[in-house]
Short mmCIF file of all heavy atoms in Angstrom, two decimals:
data_model
loop_
_atom_site.label_atom_id
_atom_site.label_comp_id
_atom_site.label_asym_id
_atom_site.label_seq_id
_atom_site.Cartn_x
_atom_site.Cartn_y
_atom_site.Cartn_z
N LYS P 129 37.24 2.75 -3.98
CA LYS P 129 35.74 2.36 -3.92
C LYS P 129 35.40 2.36 -2.49
O LYS P 129 34.28 2.83 -2.22
CB LYS P 129 35.51 1.16 -4.64
CG LYS P 129 34.12 0.64 -4.57
CD LYS P 129 34.06 -0.70 -5.35
CE LYS P 129 32.57 -1.20 -5.35
NZ LYS P 129 32.37 -2.57 -5.98
N LYS P 130 36.00 1.82 -1.50
CA LYS P 130 35.55 1.65 -0.28
C LYS P 130 35.63 2.96 0.55
O LYS P 130 35.02 3.11 1.61
CB LYS P 130 36.40 0.70 0.52
CG LYS P 130 36.25 -0.89 0.01
CD LYS P 130 37.14 -1.76 0.94
CE LYS P 130 36.85 -3.26 0.40
NZ LYS P 130 37.69 -4.27 1.28
N LEU P 131 36.38 3.92 0.06
CA LEU P 131 36.47 5.33 0.72
C LEU P 131 35.61 6.19 0.05
O LEU P 131 35.68 7.56 0.39
CB LEU P 131 37.98 5.75 0.80
CG LEU P 131 38.90 4.78 1.62
CD1 LEU P 131 40.34 5.34 1.70
CD2 LEU P 131 38.22 4.69 3.07
N LEU P 132 34.73 5.87 -0.93
CA LEU P 132 34.02 6.90 -1.66
C LEU P 132 33.08 7.68 -0.77
O LEU P 132 32.97 8.96 -0.86
CB LEU P 132 33.14 6.05 -2.77
CG LEU P 132 33.82 6.00 -4.21
CD1 LEU P 132 32.84 5.23 -5.11
CD2 LEU P 132 34.38 7.32 -4.58
N THR P 133 32.45 6.97 0.10
CA THR P 133 31.48 7.68 0.98
C THR P 133 32.17 8.66 1.91
O THR P 133 31.54 9.84 1.91
CB THR P 133 30.66 6.62 1.84
OG1 THR P 133 29.83 5.71 1.04
CG2 THR P 133 29.67 7.26 2.84
N PRO P 134 33.04 8.30 2.66
CA PRO P 134 33.70 9.46 3.45
C PRO P 134 34.37 10.43 2.84
O PRO P 134 34.28 11.71 3.19
CB PRO P 134 34.77 8.65 4.32
CG PRO P 134 35.16 7.38 3.59
CD PRO P 134 33.72 7.06 2.94
N PHE P 162 29.69 7.10 -7.96
CA PHE P 162 29.15 5.84 -7.28
C PHE P 162 28.84 4.77 -8.38
O PHE P 162 29.15 3.66 -8.35
CB PHE P 162 28.08 6.13 -6.33
CG PHE P 162 28.42 6.28 -4.93
CD1 PHE P 162 29.26 7.25 -4.48
CD2 PHE P 162 27.90 5.39 -3.93
CE1 PHE P 162 29.58 7.43 -3.20
CE2 PHE P 162 28.21 5.47 -2.54
CZ PHE P 162 29.12 6.62 -2.13
N ARG P 167 28.46 1.08 -7.58
CA ARG P 167 27.74 1.15 -6.41
C ARG P 167 26.41 1.88 -6.84
O ARG P 167 26.25 2.51 -7.84
CB ARG P 167 28.47 1.94 -5.26
CG ARG P 167 29.69 1.28 -4.82
CD ARG P 167 30.49 2.09 -3.63
NE ARG P 167 29.68 2.23 -2.57
CZ ARG P 167 29.99 2.71 -1.37
NH1 ARG P 167 31.24 3.22 -1.30
NH2 ARG P 167 29.12 2.92 -0.35
N ALA P 171 22.65 6.21 -3.66
CA ALA P 171 23.43 6.21 -2.42
C ALA P 171 24.58 7.26 -2.44
O ALA P 171 24.86 7.95 -1.40
CB ALA P 171 24.17 4.84 -2.12
N ALA P 175 24.69 10.43 0.11
CA ALA P 175 25.90 10.75 0.91
C ALA P 175 26.30 12.12 0.70
O ALA P 175 26.65 12.96 1.61
CB ALA P 175 26.99 9.84 0.64
N VAL P 233 29.37 9.12 11.13
CA VAL P 233 27.99 8.89 11.32
C VAL P 233 27.23 8.83 9.94
O VAL P 233 26.62 7.85 9.75
CB VAL P 233 27.21 10.09 12.20
CG1 VAL P 233 25.83 9.89 12.08
CG2 VAL P 233 27.70 10.07 13.68
N ILE P 234 27.59 9.69 9.07
CA ILE P 234 27.00 9.70 7.74
C ILE P 234 27.51 8.39 7.01
O ILE P 234 26.82 7.81 6.27
CB ILE P 234 27.33 11.02 6.99
CG1 ILE P 234 26.78 12.22 7.67
CG2 ILE P 234 26.90 10.94 5.53
CD1 ILE P 234 27.07 13.55 7.12
N TRP P 235 28.74 8.14 7.17
CA TRP P 235 29.46 7.03 6.54
C TRP P 235 28.72 5.66 6.94
O TRP P 235 28.39 4.84 6.03
CB TRP P 235 30.94 6.97 6.86
CG TRP P 235 31.77 5.96 6.20
CD1 TRP P 235 31.30 5.03 5.25
CD2 TRP P 235 33.14 5.71 6.37
NE1 TRP P 235 32.33 4.30 4.82
CE2 TRP P 235 33.46 4.68 5.59
CE3 TRP P 235 34.10 6.32 7.24
CZ2 TRP P 235 34.81 4.19 5.48
CZ3 TRP P 235 35.36 5.83 7.13
CH2 TRP P 235 35.69 4.72 6.33
N PHE P 236 28.46 5.59 8.21
CA PHE P 236 27.83 4.35 8.66
C PHE P 236 26.43 4.26 8.20
O PHE P 236 26.07 3.24 7.68
CB PHE P 236 27.86 4.42 10.28
CG PHE P 236 27.06 3.25 10.89
CD1 PHE P 236 27.74 2.08 11.13
CD2 PHE P 236 25.76 3.34 11.19
CE1 PHE P 236 27.01 0.86 11.66
CE2 PHE P 236 25.07 2.25 11.73
CZ PHE P 236 25.65 1.14 11.87
N VAL P 237 25.71 5.36 8.29
CA VAL P 237 24.28 5.23 7.88
C VAL P 237 24.16 4.96 6.41
O VAL P 237 23.38 4.14 5.84
CB VAL P 237 23.60 6.61 8.08
CG1 VAL P 237 22.24 6.73 7.52
CG2 VAL P 237 23.44 6.84 9.73
N ASN P 238 25.01 5.62 5.50
CA ASN P 238 24.92 5.46 4.20
C ASN P 238 25.30 4.07 3.71
O ASN P 238 24.63 3.39 2.90
CB ASN P 238 25.89 6.44 3.48
CG ASN P 238 25.70 6.52 1.96
OD1 ASN P 238 24.62 7.06 1.43
ND2 ASN P 238 26.39 5.99 1.12
N ASP P 239 26.42 3.56 4.19
CA ASP P 239 26.97 2.18 3.79
C ASP P 239 26.28 0.93 4.46
O ASP P 239 26.15 -0.08 3.88
CB ASP P 239 28.42 2.01 3.99
CG ASP P 239 29.17 3.01 3.07
OD1 ASP P 239 28.51 3.72 2.40
OD2 ASP P 239 30.52 2.90 3.02
N ARG P 240 25.75 1.18 5.76
CA ARG P 240 25.15 0.13 6.37
C ARG P 240 23.62 0.04 6.42
O ARG P 240 23.07 -1.02 6.64
CB ARG P 240 25.64 0.13 7.80
CG ARG P 240 27.24 -0.15 8.09
CD ARG P 240 27.57 -1.62 7.55
NE ARG P 240 29.00 -1.74 7.73
CZ ARG P 240 29.51 -2.16 8.80
NH1 ARG P 240 28.84 -2.49 9.84
NH2 ARG P 240 30.89 -2.39 8.85
N ILE P 241 22.96 1.29 6.23
CA ILE P 241 21.55 1.32 6.21
C ILE P 241 20.96 1.74 4.86
O ILE P 241 20.15 0.90 4.34
CB ILE P 241 21.09 2.38 7.28
CG1 ILE P 241 21.50 1.92 8.72
CG2 ILE P 241 19.52 2.44 7.36
CD1 ILE P 241 21.25 2.89 9.77
N ILE P 242 21.36 2.67 4.23
CA ILE P 242 20.67 3.24 3.02
C ILE P 242 21.08 2.44 1.85
O ILE P 242 20.12 2.06 1.16
CB ILE P 242 21.24 4.78 2.90
CG1 ILE P 242 20.73 5.64 4.00
CG2 ILE P 242 20.68 5.24 1.55
CD1 ILE P 242 19.29 5.48 4.28
N GLU P 243 22.38 2.24 1.51
CA GLU P 243 22.68 1.42 0.38
C GLU P 243 22.17 -0.07 0.32
O GLU P 243 21.66 -0.47 -0.69
CB GLU P 243 24.21 1.41 0.17
CG GLU P 243 24.68 1.03 -1.28
CD GLU P 243 26.05 1.36 -1.59
OE1 GLU P 243 26.84 1.82 -0.71
OE2 GLU P 243 26.55 1.38 -2.76
N PRO P 244 22.24 -0.78 1.53
CA PRO P 244 21.65 -2.14 1.49
C PRO P 244 19.94 -1.97 1.14
O PRO P 244 19.43 -2.76 0.57
CB PRO P 244 21.82 -2.68 2.88
CG PRO P 244 23.18 -1.94 3.15
CD PRO P 244 23.06 -0.59 2.66
N PHE P 491 19.75 9.53 8.18
CA PHE P 491 20.83 10.43 8.31
C PHE P 491 20.59 11.56 9.37
O PHE P 491 21.29 11.95 10.30
CB PHE P 491 21.30 11.15 7.01
CG PHE P 491 21.72 10.34 6.00
CD1 PHE P 491 21.01 9.90 4.93
CD2 PHE P 491 23.12 9.96 6.05
CE1 PHE P 491 21.58 9.09 3.87
CE2 PHE P 491 23.62 9.05 5.15
CZ PHE P 491 22.87 8.66 3.97
#
Side-chain angles (χ1 to χ4, degrees):
K129 181 177 179 180
K130 291 184 178 180
L131 296 180
L132 274 182
T133 298
F162 265 60
R167 299 180 61 177
V233 170
I234 297 175
W235 186 2
F236 175 85
V237 171
N238 193 72
D239 288 9
R240 297 297 181 88
I241 299 175
I242 300 304
E243 196 163 10
F491 291 106

